[in-house]
Amino acid sequence: SEIDILKNENFAVSTVYGVAPPPSLKQVPLTVSEDNGRYLDIKSSENDNKHGNTEETSLSLSAEVDSRTCKDDLLSSVPRKEMEKLSSCAPSAKAAVHFDKPNRKLSPAFHQALLSFCRMSADSRLGSEVSRIADSEKSVMLMLGRCLPHIVPNVLLAKREELIPLILCTACLHPEPKERDQLLHILFNLIKRPDDEQRQMILTGCVAFARHVGPTRVEAELLPQCWEQINHKYPERRLLVAESCGALAPYLPKEIRSSLVLSMLQQMLMEDKADLVREAVIKSLGIIMGYIDDPDKYQQGFELLLSALGDPSERVVSATHQVFLPAYAAWTTELGNLQFHLIPTLLNKIEKVLREGEHGLDEHKLHMYLSALQSLIPSLFALVLQNAPFTSKAKLQGEVPQIEVTRFPRPVSPLQDVAIIIGSREQLAVLLQLYDYQLEHEGTTGWETLLWVVNQLLPQLIEIVGKINVASTASVHEFSRFFWRLCRTFGKIFTNTKVKPQFQEILRLSEENIDSTSGNAVLTKATVPIYATGVLTCYIQEEDRKLLVGFLEDVMTMLSLSHAPLDSLKASFVELGANPAYHELLLTVLWYGVVHTSALVRCTAARMFELLVKGVHETLVAQRVVPALITLSSDPEISVRIATIPAFGTIMETVTQRELLERVKMQLASFLEDPQYQDQHSLHTEIIKTFGRVGPNAEPRFRDEFVIPHLHKLALVNNQQSVDSKRLDIATHLFEAYSALSCCFISEDLMVNHFLPGLKCLRADMEHLSPEHEVILSSMIKECEQKVENRTVQEPQGSISIAASLVSEDTKTKFLNKMGQLTTSGAMLANVFQRKK
């Protein structure tokens, strides 16, 4: 707009003298020289003679500058409206401009000498530019082209973006390619380390430039500037290059997008060390994927996708899911490759990871491929809708049905929003209505895309799920989230009629399968927690919750009655227990177990409570958990009573309510002190293991008054045990417990009366049964005694920490060397030193 003003308007401003001119004022016209087309040239008027004046009047260059400077000063102070008035009556740039002549008789030489006292400079580069004022668009461009390189270095870095419009405008309109190149070079080097806002400004300018000059010049002039900075030492400059590739994508020749620009981005993705730069590269790659139309580049795009998904930076992976993957999926869909290449390839890669992971699963790779598959669910659903038998009937007529707010999982970016993939929310609403009707009343006949999902994708996924190690919490969680998103996206009717039946067919939860190993084996696999937490939690109406409760009850019953491992049930409880919304539901399932007729099922229920205690609110623990455990702790079957001990221990470790802790303490005391349990080896083993696990984190008073004294008693009793195998078993568990408790602060009184005597009893067992343990116990006892002696001399009162006593490097080395020889307790004892650090 500024150039247009220069081009179309000139303002005439009179030079004002101190003396008012008389009516016979002579006029001096200003004529425009055409000899170079670039500068105004001031000459004397030829019509002076016509007015009777024989003097040759010549206005010097300095007078011209003076008058022009006055004009500039005046214009800068004139308000906008006044300028518009002035411009409306201003003469054309080519018309003669007249200046008032004074009615004086000074000689021209005197006049010239007088004006020489105006101090001006025309002999320097800048003076030369100032004295020659451009009068056309072309000459303005030439002047800016010459002046800008000198202006830029002298502008504050923080304000250099103010120059961007001038640089771009000049680069657009300048006739000389070499000058344009220099200006664009200045643009890309304008700010040493441009921040976000400055880069956005430069990018906005690049896009404006591109729109103005067209694809050929963008390729010839802008891209070389990007290429030149691809390895710049400052990441901000490389970031500018990465962002430019995406911003300029719509304005480039199509063959350049899929060749040079794709190669530049690929190089930066592979080589750039800065996470921010690679993140920008991924976003630009996504934009390129929206413009690329060369099918030969499909495979290259897939390889870039795998690289991006495997990037070590979370930022880059996140950008891949938000931008690159959905953009690539859209192109894949157009090429017909989504169901026939992209999804099957990712599934094959997941299967390969699981095959290779029999001795150690690469959870990172599994997450990488599965999260990519999850991000493709919206694209797959859009494809199913767009290829449905009813698509031709999907017309926007009359009132459009509303889509429930919770109908779809929240997309991670707009590009994963099914409505945006389809085109509009209204169009999606119409398609969804027809989709639900078709599934409910007309089935899937002839619906190839949906049949592929039902007959190929789902069976393969369910087969994969059966191969996952149920102990891999991360994998179970990943697949659970995947199925949840799949079921929510494809809808309730699809979930109930297509997904659930396939799982139920495999799980076969019926009574006749209880003793059949073939029918029961699948219940120990990850299929159980993934079905429970990924499919049965998708919808939360009453009937859905009942189905989930019934399923978990059936699994608990069947695993218990067939003496199978409980890992799949535990995994379900851990996954569901992470969400407080399911705590009541899980307690309902466990209560079913508490009152079950089979002791095996009651035993399982008792063990499952341990998993719930840590996540459940104390109120629920008091109202629902402890009463259930108290009920089980008086069960006719001793195995059920023993099974409650770990849960009681966990309550001691996590709960703070005094009354609750007392109830638990009383129950544990009855186990330890009731004569009926004195020969219960498995009960004592369970208690010692629980004490070792919860002791270090339990309330200090409980530890001091209950745990340590009872460990002492158990160690004393074990000295009298006549069966060596039982004696060694208890001694080994005692050793683990003492090793864990040695990191705690123990009062001197407790140390002398219980801890040291307990250790000595244990050493007596180990002398006969396990000499390598005995060596470590002797060292522990010696260090403890020495510390007690030192403390007695220095501070008769106070508490000491055994862990604190084991500080000398020699002692540590001796202990660690001994630990290396042990199989049962090395890790536990190492913790003594680790914690103290």
Side-chain angles (χ1 to χ4, degrees):
S1 63
E2 289 166 359
I3 288 173
D4 289 342
I5 290 171
L6 279 174
K7 185 177 176 183
N8 300 325
E9 300 170 355
N10 269 320
F11 304 102
V13 182
S14 297
T15 305
V16 182
Y17 288 86
V19 180
S24 61
L25 187 69
K26 296 177 181 179
Q27 300 294 321
V28 179
L30 181 92
T31 56
V32 177
S33 166
E34 296 294 337
D35 57 349
N36 61 10
R38 282 158 62 183
Y39 305 105
L40 296 179
D41 188 17
I42 297 173
K43 297 183 177 179
S44 60
S45 169
E46 289 178 4
N47 64 359
D48 282 355
N49 291 334
K50 293 177 185 176
H51 294 283
N53 189 347
T54 57
E55 296 168 4
E56 284 295 316
T57 305
S58 78
L59 289 175
S60 73
L61 207 56
S62 56
E64 171 210 341
V65 173
D66 191 40
S67 65
R68 284 291 171 169
T69 307
C70 292
K71 170 190 163 183
D72 289 344
D73 290 344
L74 179 60
L75 286 185
S76 66
S77 64
V78 174
R80 192 178 187 83
K81 286 184 181 174
E82 295 301 320
M83 284 180 68
E84 285 167 5
K85 285 180 191 172
L86 276 171
S87 65
S88 63
C89 60
S92 162
K94 298 291 179 187
V97 178
H98 298 279
F99 295 100
D100 288 347
K101 290 269 290 181
N103 188 15
R104 298 289 302 278
K105 294 194 165 59
L106 298 175
S107 71
F110 187 87
H111 212 146
Q112 186 73 34
L114 184 61
L115 287 174
S116 70
F117 284 94
C118 294
R119 293 176 58 79
M120 286 172 290
S121 167
D123 55 355
S124 66
R125 176 193 61 78
L126 189 56
S128 169
E129 294 290 357
V130 171
S131 66
R132 300 179 298 173
I133 291 185
D135 79 324
S136 70
E137 183 180 290
K138 184 180 176 185
S139 53
V140 169
M141 287 306 111
L142 292 168
M143 181 196 71
L144 284 170
R146 289 192 307 274
C147 292
L148 278 169
H150 300 284
I151 294 168
V152 170
N154 297 302
V155 176
L156 287 171
L157 277 171
K159 293 293 179 184
R160 283 198 184 167
E161 63 263 36
E162 298 288 346
L163 292 165
I164 293 172
L166 278 177
I167 295 169
L168 280 163
C169 197
T170 312
C172 272
L173 302 174
H174 204 289
E176 295 294 329
K178 190 177 175 184
E179 295 292 325
R180 295 202 300 266
D181 182 66
Q182 185 189 8
L183 287 162
L184 290 173
H185 180 78
I186 288 171
L187 176 69
F188 274 80
N189 293 274
L190 189 63
I191 300 157
K192 193 170 171 183
R193 305 183 78 154
D195 61 26
D196 274 355
E197 200 175 319
Q198 291 165 331
R199 284 197 314 277
Q200 284 172 25
M201 200 63 68
I202 294 169
L203 286 177
T204 306
C206 288
V207 169
F209 178 89
R211 282 182 179 147
H212 187 85
V213 303
T216 309
R217 273 183 64 186
V218 175
E219 179 193 345
E221 297 177 20
L222 269 185
L223 275 187
Q225 298 300 333
C226 292
W227 183 259
E228 196 178 292
Q229 305 226 2
I230 201 167
N231 292 314
H232 198 281
K233 67 176 178 177
Y234 292 133
E236 292 88 349
R237 298 279 273 275
R238 305 197 302 276
L239 200 50
L240 181 60
V241 173
E243 290 168 338
S244 300
C245 289
L248 295 173
Y251 310 103
L252 289 163
K254 64 179 186 178
E255 62 277 3
I256 292 298
R257 285 185 205 124
S258 53
S259 56
L260 178 63
V261 177
L262 195 60
S263 298
M264 284 169 67
L265 290 169
Q266 182 171 14
Q267 180 182 329
M268 292 181 86
L269 180 63
M270 301 304 174
E271 296 176 5
D272 208 293
K273 299 286 189 292
D275 296 354
L276 278 170
V277 175
R278 295 199 308 282
E279 180 188 18
V281 166
I282 288 300
K283 288 177 180 173
S284 290
L285 273 172
I287 296 166
I288 291 287
M289 288 300 146
Y291 284 90
I292 208 163
D293 58 3
D294 178 0
D296 292 343
K297 299 292 177 182
Y298 172 80
Q299 190 57 36
Q300 186 181 353
F302 182 66
E303 285 159 13
L304 284 169
L305 174 65
L306 293 181
S307 294
L309 287 167
D311 196 277
S313 165
E314 194 54 48
R315 297 180 72 108
V316 177
V317 175
S318 178
T320 305
H321 286 283
Q322 288 174 8
V323 187
F324 185 21
L325 182 57
Y328 182 71
W331 185 36
T332 307
T333 303
E334 286 177 45
L335 295 174
N337 284 345
L338 187 67
Q339 290 181 316
F340 299 105
H341 175 265
L342 186 53
I343 291 175
T345 307
L346 288 170
L347 281 170
N348 293 339
K349 288 187 176 295
I350 289 170
E351 287 187 316
K352 188 182 176 192
V353 170
L354 292 171
R355 270 199 313 275
E356 292 171 350
E358 288 175 4
H359 304 295
L361 182 65
D362 188 338
E363 287 184 352
H364 174 71
K365 266 192 180 174
L366 185 67
H367 166 75
M368 178 175 120
Y369 297 132
L370 191 58
S371 61
L373 210 55
Q374 183 171 298
S375 289
L376 290 172
I377 292 171
S379 303
L380 179 61
F381 185 61
L383 179 67
V384 166
L385 289 180
Q386 289 166 331
N387 288 274
F390 51 74
T391 308
S392 56
K393 292 186 266 178
K395 300 284 188 292
L396 288 169
Q397 295 168 344
E399 193 176 335
V400 177
Q402 289 293 308
I403 303 173
E404 287 177 47
V405 179
T406 57
R407 169 63 183 80
F408 291 101
R410 189 187 298 251
V412 298
S413 89
L415 300 178
Q416 285 196 32
D417 186 336
V418 180
I420 286 175
I421 298 170
I422 293 287
S424 73
R425 199 155 180 84
E426 293 73 22
Q427 185 67 24
L428 175 60
V430 173
L431 285 169
L432 280 177
Q433 198 174 39
L434 293 165
Y435 167 79
D436 285 344
Y437 183 85
Q438 179 88 18
L439 280 179
E440 204 163 7
H441 300 103
E442 296 176 13
T444 55
T445 310
W447 196 348
E448 292 303 323
T449 48
L450 189 67
L451 285 169
W452 178 85
V453 175
V454 174
N455 298 330
Q456 292 187 54
L457 179 63
L458 276 174
Q460 192 175 354
L461 282 167
I462 293 171
E463 188 184 343
I464 286 170
V465 159
K467 295 173 184 172
I468 296 169
N469 181 355
V470 73
S472 172
T473 313
S475 304
V476 169
H477 179 74
E478 291 280 339
F479 271 97
S480 169
R481 292 302 82 202
F482 174 83
F483 271 99
W484 189 87
R485 280 192 171 269
L486 183 77
C487 293
R488 283 304 295 250
T489 303
F490 277 78
K492 187 162 189 175
I493 299 168
F494 180 86
T495 302
N496 288 338
T497 60
K498 306 297 177 194
V499 182
K500 287 179 184 175
Q502 291 200 33
F503 271 100
Q504 285 159 359
E505 174 61 29
I506 289 206
L507 292 166
R508 289 191 288 168
L509 285 164
S510 55
E511 290 297 322
E512 62 266 22
N513 288 328
I514 285 177
D515 298 320
S516 157
T517 50
S518 60
N520 188 55
V522 74
L523 289 184
T524 62
K525 297 183 184 293
T527 314
V528 166
I530 288 165
Y531 177 54
T533 63
V535 178
L536 295 180
T537 62
C538 275
Y539 300 96
I540 51 170
Q541 271 92 17
E542 193 53 38
E543 67 269 21
D544 302 307
R545 294 177 80 86
K546 279 181 181 170
L547 194 63
L548 176 56
V549 168
F551 174 72
L552 291 171
E553 288 172 355
D554 289 347
V555 170
M556 181 163 71
T557 305
M558 292 184 69
L559 290 176
S560 305
L561 297 180
S562 56
H563 300 276
L566 301 176
D567 294 337
S568 60
L569 187 64
K570 286 180 178 176
S572 306
F573 268 66
V574 168
E575 184 72 21
L576 289 168
N579 184 347
Y582 292 110
H583 289 171
E584 282 280 0
L585 183 145
L586 293 174
L587 287 166
T588 304
V589 173
L590 290 183
W591 187 253
Y592 163 86
V594 170
V595 297
H596 200 277
T597 53
S598 166
L600 292 167
V601 179
R602 297 198 300 277
C603 225
T604 297
R607 294 202 173 279
M608 298 307 294
F609 273 112
E610 184 196 345
L611 294 174
L612 263 190
V613 171
K614 282 191 178 177
V616 171
H617 194 272
E618 277 196 18
T619 310
L620 271 181
V621 173
Q623 292 173 357
R624 303 281 298 278
V625 177
V626 171
L629 287 170
I630 297 289
T631 302
L632 290 171
S633 65
S634 56
D635 195 273
E637 289 289 332
I638 185 74
S639 60
V640 177
R641 282 176 262 167
I642 292 170
T644 61
I645 292 169
F648 280 127
T650 304
I651 291 172
M652 296 304 299
E653 191 181 17
T654 54
V655 170
T656 56
Q657 282 183 34
R658 173 69 53 201
E659 188 187 336
L660 210 53
L661 290 170
E662 284 303 319
R663 286 177 70 190
V664 173
K665 193 165 134 185
M666 281 172 61
Q667 185 55 56
L668 288 172
S670 74
F671 283 144
L672 286 161
E673 292 159 14
D674 194 321
Q676 65 171 317
Y677 298 122
Q678 66 181 21
D679 294 324
Q680 287 296 334
H681 177 78
S682 51
L683 182 138
H684 292 149
T685 304
E686 198 67 64
I687 283 186
I688 295 165
K689 276 161 61 179
T690 300
F691 280 175
R693 177 171 57 84
V694 306
N697 304 314
E699 189 199 34
R701 191 171 146 197
F702 170 68
R703 183 173 61 238
D704 294 350
E705 294 177 7
F706 192 82
V707 174
I708 292 174
H710 276 103
L711 281 176
H712 179 200
K713 284 182 190 174
L714 288 163
L716 267 172
V717 170
N718 200 48
N719 283 164
Q720 314 306 317
Q721 174 61 256
S722 55
V723 181
D724 279 358
S725 59
K726 286 185 178 180
R727 189 177 177 191
L728 178 60
D729 191 30
I730 293 285
T732 305
H733 286 110
L734 280 169
F735 181 83
E736 298 284 355
Y738 274 109
S739 298
L741 287 164
S742 66
C743 70
C744 305
F745 284 94
I746 298 165
S747 69
E748 188 178 324
D749 183 52
L750 197 63
M751 176 70 72
V752 171
N753 294 327
H754 291 296
F755 200 87
L756 267 171
L759 278 176
K760 286 173 181 174
C761 291
L762 185 55
R763 181 174 63 179
D765 289 336
M766 291 303 190
E767 275 175 354
H768 299 292
L769 304 167
S770 179
E772 65 271 27
H773 282 85
E774 189 267 330
V775 173
I776 291 179
L777 283 165
S778 295
S779 297
M780 285 176 76
I781 291 165
K782 187 178 174 185
E783 291 285 341
C784 289
E785 288 173 339
Q786 191 177 342
K787 199 70 182 177
V788 170
E789 285 170 20
N790 293 344
R791 183 59 62 93
T792 307
V793 172
Q794 294 166 12
E795 298 174 42
Q797 301 300 317
S799 64
I800 63 167
S801 158
I802 299 180
S805 74
L806 306 177
V807 291
S808 80
E809 287 303 318
D810 290 345
T811 307
K812 262 190 203 179
T813 308
K814 185 165 63 177
F815 267 51
L816 291 169
N817 287 342
K818 286 294 177 189
M819 279 193 296
Q821 303 165 14
L822 303 181
T823 54
T824 54
S825 60
M828 284 295 279
L829 202 56
N831 285 342
V832 174
F833 308 114
Q834 285 294 326
R835 292 172 200 228
K836 196 58 196 169
K837 285 179 190 172

